[in-house]
Amino acid sequence: MLQFGKIAIIGAGNVSYTLCKLLKDKDIEPFCVFVRNESEAVKMRADLNVETVSDYEKVMLSDLAIIAVNDDAISEVASHLVDYKGLAVHTSGTRPSETLSEIERYGVFYPLQTMSKGREIAFDDVPILIYANMPEDLIRLRGFSAALSSKVEYCDDEQRKAVHLAAVYVSNFTDVMLEIGAKILKDNGLDLSMMRHLVKETMQKAFEMSPEKALTGPARRGDMETIENHMKMLEKYPEEQDIYKLLTNFILEKYHENEKL
Amino acid sequence: MLQFGKIAIIGAGNVSYTLCKLLKDKDIEPFCVFVRNESEAVKMRADLNVETVSDYEKVMLSDLAIIAVNDDAISEVASHLVDYKGLAVHTSGTRPSETLSEIERYGVFYPLQTMSKGREIAFDDVPILIYANMPEDLIRLRGFSAALSSKVEYCDDEQRKAVHLAAVYVSNFTDVMLEIGAKILKDNGLDLSMMRHLVKETMQKAFEMSPEKALTGPARRGDMETIENHMKMLEKYPEEQDIYKLLTNFILEKYHENEKL
């Protein structure tokens, strides 16, 4: 069976932390973790009981190197791995796999999830999107990923870029909508927590029916009186009003051609 | 104990359907359901096994009349209930309670949820926001609502309007974000379902931490290279690009004052 023996992880951020923890939970001991900054290395050893290194000597002896650093730092890390004989993968949603193309065997290991240090995630069904330039490595990488999640999918650079862009809408921008909702509620002596049930049902509906079929509300109904009232209430929040206007027109245009704010 | 005997429901839409079903599940038989349109009445009798009426004679004999009709139709219904001796409530998030003020005893019964016919909701913890012009009715309405949900809250007209506005952001607009995400994925041979885990975790994080603390992504990091790439990818979707630009600037302004699209 094609698989990896020694696994090195590079980085000390959210993704590196989450991966180290996950591997240890699965009884896969990371061969070493490369951390340049000594105080971060101290913290990581204390938190996760892993072996950290601060030069690439030991990394070069591994079979799989997972580069879990900021997008901007990937090239710099790759420049140290030019003679690497194992498979080097990065974890970025946006950078092409070719960022690593000076290394003989390269690929991508992209877990589709929002990760924060200190927040545990049930990783079992987090989609892991994988790519490798050599077919045998793709098989190895699939086997490795399948040990971590039940949802492993092949994804080329173009698709991964689309996934990352879509994730900005469905994750970052939905979060901003909750932020605005929370602000309006707070200014009226109310708390976002009252929306939890509504948000949960909205999301379930969208995934089970489809976002189009699940859509309700004044813009979907073409209820201009309510929309005008909302616009008035938003006069003290000019930026949030701009967002209301743009998104309401986006919906009206689709369902009520003749109405517009 | 202050409570209602006979409960009439007015309307044949999503809210009326959901309430009738819910009452029957709790072994509370609606006294009658007012449905003007005969073919809708036939359907409702067949679906829910309730007694429907098409004039207000029997409604006038009830103790609580729940007006679950379109916002625009509330006044018209109220005009028939001027001599009503029971408590008349509407179910609208946006209309003031005074829409019913020609009736002696009036109020609001607003379930904070998105409802569609044929889709069952676990109603037990749907917040029900209540208001009544007379203190004794408020107590009765609280008792009635508490039989349906564990989360009953008093809410005046101003607060309810704010709740409804916030709901547009956290429910309708988040749904639109999923719709855009789905479109981008579909055009790249991928399906929205791959985002389910990410969306679930995003929402949980936002409610458990706070939307501000939960926010990640390129705009939060000030990663202008990724943002510029996204803007390029969005050139073929001009409307979605406008939304990306506005929301990205909204985030940048807050965390990276000197950056702007």
Side-chain angles (χ1 to χ4, degrees):
Chain A
M1 194 184 146
L2 293 168
Q3 57 185 19
F4 302 112
K6 299 166 187 154
I7 295 159
I9 296 174
I10 295 150
N14 295 336
V15 178
S16 171
Y17 250 75
T18 305
L19 278 178
C20 283
K21 229 186 145 307
L22 193 63
L23 288 176
K24 291 192 76 109
D25 287 349
K26 302 277 177 185
D27 285 321
I28 306 170
E29 184 63 35
F31 181 58
C32 63
V33 182
F34 177 92
V35 185
R36 199 166 34 188
N37 179 297
E38 180 54 17
S39 70
E40 281 186 336
V42 170
K43 189 168 179 333
M44 204 151 179
R45 285 197 298 271
D47 287 348
L48 299 173
N49 189 27
V50 288
E51 182 184 342
T52 64
V53 295
S54 59
D55 65 52
Y56 284 93
E57 217 172 300
K58 193 164 179 186
V59 174
M60 296 303 276
L61 304 175
S62 67
D63 303 301
L64 172 67
I66 302 176
I67 304 171
V69 299
N70 280 342
D71 288 358
D72 291 340
I74 295 172
S75 303
E76 199 271 329
V77 171
S79 71
H80 294 278
L81 297 176
V82 173
D83 297 324
Y84 184 59
K85 295 298 166 213
L87 171 66
V89 294
H90 71 58
T91 61
S92 164
T94 58
R95 298 306 156 101
S97 53
E98 284 91 35
T99 314
L100 305 178
S101 63
E102 282 192 73
I103 306 164
E104 193 187 345
R105 295 163 52 201
Y106 64 89
V108 178
F109 172 90
Y110 174 51
L112 182 54
Q113 192 48 276
T114 165
M115 296 180 212
S116 300
K117 268 181 207 174
R119 183 169 169 88
E120 295 222 10
I121 297 169
F123 218 89
D124 297 9
D125 37 42
V126 168
I128 300 178
L129 308 183
I130 58 168
Y131 172 82
N133 70 326
M134 295 196 184
E136 289 188 354
D137 280 328
L138 195 59
I139 293 172
R140 284 189 190 94
L141 195 55
R142 179 177 289 277
F144 170 74
S145 305
L148 306 180
S149 167
S150 63
K151 292 199 182 138
V152 182
E153 293 185 52
Y154 171 81
C155 186
D156 65 31
D157 284 355
E158 279 309 299
Q159 285 179 317
R160 198 174 58 261
K161 271 165 63 185
V163 169
H164 188 262
L165 175 58
V168 169
Y169 287 92
V170 308
S171 179
N172 309 153
F173 291 166
T174 54
D175 186 87
V176 169
M177 296 303 133
L178 297 196
E179 190 182 316
I180 297 173
K183 184 174 176 181
I184 294 168
L185 290 171
K186 200 180 164 208
D187 290 351
N188 285 276
L190 299 162
D191 191 83
L192 181 66
S193 59
M194 76 188 298
M195 294 292 181
R196 187 146 194 178
H197 198 282
L198 173 63
V199 170
K200 194 176 163 195
E201 169 65 10
T202 301
M203 296 297 136
Q204 278 180 358
K205 232 172 135 176
F207 279 100
E208 286 164 25
M209 298 163 76
S210 81
E212 279 90 347
K213 285 184 192 145
L215 187 62
T216 58
R220 178 65 183 85
R221 287 195 304 276
D223 176 352
M224 297 307 289
E225 186 179 334
T226 298
I227 291 170
E228 302 285 358
N229 280 334
H230 284 168
M231 286 296 285
K232 251 178 238 143
M233 291 169 73
L234 287 165
E235 270 164 14
K236 54 182 164 179
Y237 308 102
E239 286 180 286
E240 287 79 1
Q241 194 190 42
D242 286 346
I243 293 170
Y244 186 96
K245 189 175 171 180
L246 187 64
L247 293 175
T248 293
N249 279 335
F250 183 78
I251 301 169
L252 285 173
E253 203 165 284
K254 211 163 163 178
Y255 298 102
H256 305 276
E257 276 181 71
N258 300 322
E259 305 283 8
K260 199 176 180 340
L261 267 180
Chain B
M1 195 186 146
L2 293 169
Q3 58 184 20
F4 302 112
K6 298 166 189 155
I7 295 158
I9 297 175
I10 295 151
N14 296 336
V15 178
S16 171
Y17 250 76
T18 304
L19 279 178
C20 284
K21 227 186 148 309
L22 195 61
L23 288 176
K24 291 193 74 108
D25 287 349
K26 302 278 177 186
D27 285 321
I28 304 170
E29 184 63 34
F31 181 58
C32 64
V33 182
F34 177 91
V35 185
R36 200 167 31 188
N37 179 299
E38 179 54 21
S39 69
E40 280 184 338
V42 170
K43 190 170 177 333
M44 206 152 179
R45 286 199 297 273
D47 287 349
L48 299 172
N49 189 27
V50 289
E51 183 186 340
T52 64
V53 294
S54 58
D55 64 54
Y56 284 93
E57 217 172 299
K58 194 165 179 183
V59 174
M60 296 302 277
L61 305 174
S62 67
D63 303 302
L64 171 67
I66 303 177
I67 304 171
V69 299
N70 279 343
D71 288 358
D72 291 339
I74 296 173
S75 303
E76 199 270 330
V77 171
S79 70
H80 295 279
L81 296 176
V82 173
D83 297 324
Y84 185 57
K85 295 301 168 208
L87 171 65
V89 296
H90 72 56
T91 60
S92 165
T94 58
R95 297 306 157 100
S97 54
E98 284 92 33
T99 314
L100 305 179
S101 63
E102 283 192 73
I103 304 163
E104 193 186 344
R105 297 162 55 199
Y106 63 89
V108 179
F109 172 92
Y110 175 50
L112 183 53
Q113 190 47 276
T114 165
M115 295 180 212
S116 301
K117 269 182 208 172
R119 181 168 171 88
E120 295 221 13
I121 297 168
F123 219 89
D124 297 9
D125 37 42
V126 168
I128 299 180
L129 309 182
I130 58 168
Y131 173 81
N133 70 327
M134 297 198 183
E136 289 189 352
D137 279 330
L138 196 58
I139 294 172
R140 285 188 191 95
L141 196 54
R142 180 178 288 279
F144 169 74
S145 306
L148 305 180
S149 166
S150 63
K151 291 197 181 136
V152 182
E153 294 186 51
Y154 172 81
C155 186
D156 65 29
D157 283 357
E158 279 309 299
Q159 285 180 316
R160 198 175 59 259
K161 271 165 63 183
V163 169
H164 188 261
L165 175 58
V168 169
Y169 287 92
V170 309
S171 178
N172 308 153
F173 290 167
T174 53
D175 186 87
V176 170
M177 296 305 136
L178 298 196
E179 190 182 316
I180 297 173
K183 185 175 174 177
I184 294 167
L185 290 171
K186 200 180 162 206
D187 289 352
N188 286 275
L190 298 163
D191 190 84
L192 181 65
S193 59
M194 74 188 301
M195 293 293 181
R196 188 148 193 175
H197 199 283
L198 173 63
V199 169
K200 195 176 162 193
E201 169 65 11
T202 301
M203 296 295 135
Q204 279 180 356
K205 233 173 135 176
F207 280 100
E208 286 164 25
M209 299 163 76
S210 84
E212 279 88 348
K213 285 183 192 146
L215 187 61
T216 58
R220 178 67 186 83
R221 286 195 305 273
D223 176 353
M224 296 308 289
E225 186 178 335
T226 297
I227 291 170
E228 303 284 359
N229 280 334
H230 284 169
M231 285 295 284
K232 250 178 239 144
M233 289 167 75
L234 287 165
E235 270 163 16
K236 56 182 161 178
Y237 307 102
E239 287 180 284
E240 288 78 1
Q241 194 191 43
D242 285 346
I243 293 170
Y244 185 96
K245 190 174 171 181
L246 187 65
L247 294 174
T248 293
N249 279 336
F250 183 79
I251 301 169
L252 285 173
E253 204 165 281
K254 209 162 165 178
Y255 299 103
H256 305 277
E257 278 180 69
N258 300 323
E259 305 282 9
K260 198 174 178 345
L261 265 180

